[in-house]
Amino acid sequence: QLQASGGGLVQAGGSLRLSCAASGGTFSSYVMGWFRQAPGKERDFVATISRIGGGTSYADSVKGRFTISRDNAKNTVYLQMNSLKPDDTGVYVCAARPFISRSTNSNDYNYWGQGTLVTVSS
């Protein structure tokens, strides 16, 4: 089970930190990812992190602004979002993939949490 939190309303240029707490499995066995869905749009990849945190990948639109990290002792993955833009608005969802390799494709993730809404005002 994945439980995301930390969303909210923030002004452009501000920051938010999302958390996703996992339960019911061996957290360190899963690649973790963050995806987002803006109103009326498809779900897009945001970031992914390897099982022990040694490797990360980001969507071009968030590189240099967002940082994904994880704490396997706390069964939690984080998404630090800085310099937020109105285009970052959407529902952010965390996902888990029980394989070694990272993926930017949502179809490669087996488990999904509920989303947390991020709204960036201009």
Side-chain angles (χ1 to χ4, degrees), residues 13-92:
S15 298
L16 281 175
R17 188 194 197 202
L18 306 184
S19 299
C20 175
S23 61
T26 304
F27 184 67
S28 60
S29 297
Y30 296 87
V31 165
M32 299 300 296
W34 284 100
F35 293 80
R36 69 185 179 192
Q37 188 164 14
K41 296 186 178 180
E42 294 185 353
R43 181 178 290 174
D44 289 332
F45 165 74
V46 175
T48 182
I49 187 166
S50 62
R51 296 186 300 179
I52 59 172
T56 57
S57 298
Y58 297 92
D60 288 343
S61 59
V62 307
K63 279 181 183 176
R65 300 188 297 120
F66 290 12
T67 302
I68 188 171
S69 61
R70 67 190 294 162
D71 186 337
N72 286 347
K74 295 182 178 180
N75 291 351
T76 302
V77 61
Y78 305 98
L79 185 68
Q80 177 66 45
M81 305 186 296
N82 299 329
S83 302
L84 282 162
K85 304 175 181 179
D87 284 348
D88 294 320
T89 293
V91 176
Y92 284 70

